[in-house]
Amino acid sequence: MKKRIIGLSILTALALVVAGCGGGDDTSVYVVFDIGGRGDQSFNDAAAAGLDRATEDLGVTSSELEPTAGGENRDDLLNLAAEDGAQLVFGVGFLFADSIAGAAAAYPETNFGLIDGFVPDLTADSNLVALGFAEHEGSFLVGAAAALKSTSGRVGFIGGVEIDLIKKFEAGFITGARHINPAIEIDIKYISQPPDFAGFTDPAKGKEIGAAMYQAGADVVYHAAGSSGGGLFQAAKEHSESTGSHVWAIGVDSDQYLTAGEEFQPYILTSMLKRVDVAVFQTISAFVDDAFAGGYRTFSLADDGVGYAASGGHVDDIAGQLDDLKAQIVSGAIPVPETP
């Protein structure tokens, strides 16, 4: 059973919840998406997939909230979820860190999960768990894939916003590419600078930057830019068609070969999988089993919390090399830095 409320004022949202499809199963789970919500073909959709699986497999009652375009009502939505009787509430994205810490303190009987953010001093008996990912490890693998597939010796990285979290993606990508080809050229560009977070929701800018990188000679470009990555896929398609050459794009978070649309599939080499779906589902499952624990949990290559996608078969010829690199990272033989 699902309810969905998008970009509404707190009073309007509350009215809809009261009038919604309440009742049903014993466990009530709310997911408060980040800006863009379900349908962003990236980070939010990965969280949605975990919620959908829990709704189907575990029989929980699921509800969805999405902030306004500026994200000003994150606090209100978290509070609304708790006041509506949610037993477990997720905030999707690091921008929820302060808001969810406040909500967890205000509603000690409700459990919370923060995806991709950090709250200091959490313990196992906290009612808040911070769910993190080893993005640098997964990005190493797609960086290696980029270098293995590049014929020009030049690749690119597009970050949504220049913050420490996205620099983990950059660091892993650079390290993986240079592990394969120490002389490879790497173009790096961020769409926006904090406190401007529009870089995660600007496909037009993603397309502009991607097109410039391809024009400059890069033949594989990786994005960690949320829905802005849709613009990169457009740039790869248009550049390939207009020049008669073939360039690649690399997706992020979800398997974007499956979500971006058939017209872009010939140009999506792989995606760095950030298994937000696994984090959401496993946290809900633990709660249902009365095994919820607060504190911190990191999903890495060792537990397939991050990885690379093979849809489309574009990396089949190098999969053996990538899997060998994965094993070396897991064993510690290859260290991957978290900063560029």
Side-chain angles (χ1 to χ4, degrees):
M1 186 178 298
K2 298 180 183 178
K3 296 181 282 186
R4 191 180 184 197
I5 302 160
I6 304 173
L8 302 178
S9 70
I10 185 69
L11 291 177
T12 304
L14 182 57
L16 283 179
V17 168
V18 171
C21 51
D25 303 296
D26 291 335
T27 302
S28 173
V29 179
Y30 266 79
V31 169
V32 185
F33 292 116
D34 205 353
I35 297 168
R38 182 189 285 265
D40 72 343
Q41 300 181 351
S42 187
F43 193 73
N44 286 315
D45 274 358
L51 181 64
D52 291 346
R53 182 183 170 196
T55 303
E56 181 176 348
D57 293 358
L58 304 177
V60 303
T61 297
S62 64
S63 304
E64 302 173 12
L65 298 170
E66 180 183 326
T68 53
E72 301 89 351
N73 61 337
R74 290 186 177 89
D75 290 11
D76 290 340
L77 295 181
L78 291 169
N79 294 339
L80 168 62
E83 290 169 5
D84 192 45
Q87 295 156 290
L88 177 61
V89 181
F90 291 91
V92 182
F94 65 92
L95 290 173
F96 279 90
D98 291 341
S99 298
I100 208 165
Y107 299 95
E109 301 304 314
T110 303
N111 289 311
F112 294 85
L114 172 62
I115 298 173
D116 230 19
F118 178 78
V119 173
D121 302 323
L122 295 180
T123 60
D125 60 355
S126 299
N127 66 327
L128 171 60
V129 60
L131 306 167
F133 301 85
E135 297 95 347
H136 53 303
E137 294 182 353
S139 294
F140 180 104
L141 295 183
V142 299
L148 288 166
K149 286 290 190 175
S150 176
T151 58
S152 69
R154 186 169 187 165
V155 299
F157 172 81
I158 300 175
V161 183
E162 192 167 5
I163 54 176
D164 289 344
L165 173 62
I166 305 303
K167 283 184 170 295
K168 287 176 68 178
F169 293 82
E170 177 193 342
F173 181 75
I174 292 171
T175 307
R178 288 183 175 158
H179 183 86
I180 299 299
N181 177 7
I184 199 167
E185 296 182 71
I186 305 174
D187 297 329
I188 299 167
K189 182 73 172 179
Y190 283 86
I191 297 175
S192 69
Q193 297 291 321
D196 177 8
F197 290 92
F200 291 125
T201 56
D202 193 345
K205 194 65 176 179
K207 179 180 177 180
E208 176 186 329
I209 295 172
M213 287 184 175
Y214 292 131
Q215 187 64 36
D219 56 358
V220 189
V221 178
Y222 172 41
H223 88 87
S227 63
S228 299
L232 171 64
F233 302 149
Q234 292 179 324
K237 178 178 184 291
E238 292 179 11
H239 183 87
S240 296
E241 292 177 345
S242 64
T243 64
S245 61
H246 188 282
V247 296
W248 293 108
I250 296 177
V252 76
D253 296 334
S254 301
D255 184 349
Q256 295 200 282
Y257 178 93
L258 301 177
T259 62
E262 289 185 12
E263 63 180 316
F264 302 117
Q265 288 180 342
Y267 311 101
I268 299 177
L269 177 63
T270 181
S271 297
M272 196 288 281
L273 299 177
K274 184 170 174 177
R275 299 302 302 273
V276 176
D277 59 326
V278 171
V280 169
F281 178 81
Q282 289 190 5
T283 303
I284 296 173
S285 181
F287 179 82
V288 170
D289 292 339
D290 293 323
F292 177 90
Y296 307 95
R297 182 172 178 189
T298 299
F299 295 82
S300 67
L301 280 179
D303 53 14
D304 291 322
V306 294
Y308 71 92
S311 297
H314 300 317
V315 294
D316 285 357
D317 58 326
I318 60 171
Q321 292 166 275
L322 298 180
D323 291 342
D324 181 60
L325 292 171
K326 173 185 174 180
Q328 293 183 63
I329 293 170
V330 171
S331 73
I334 297 179
V336 184
E338 297 188 31
T339 56

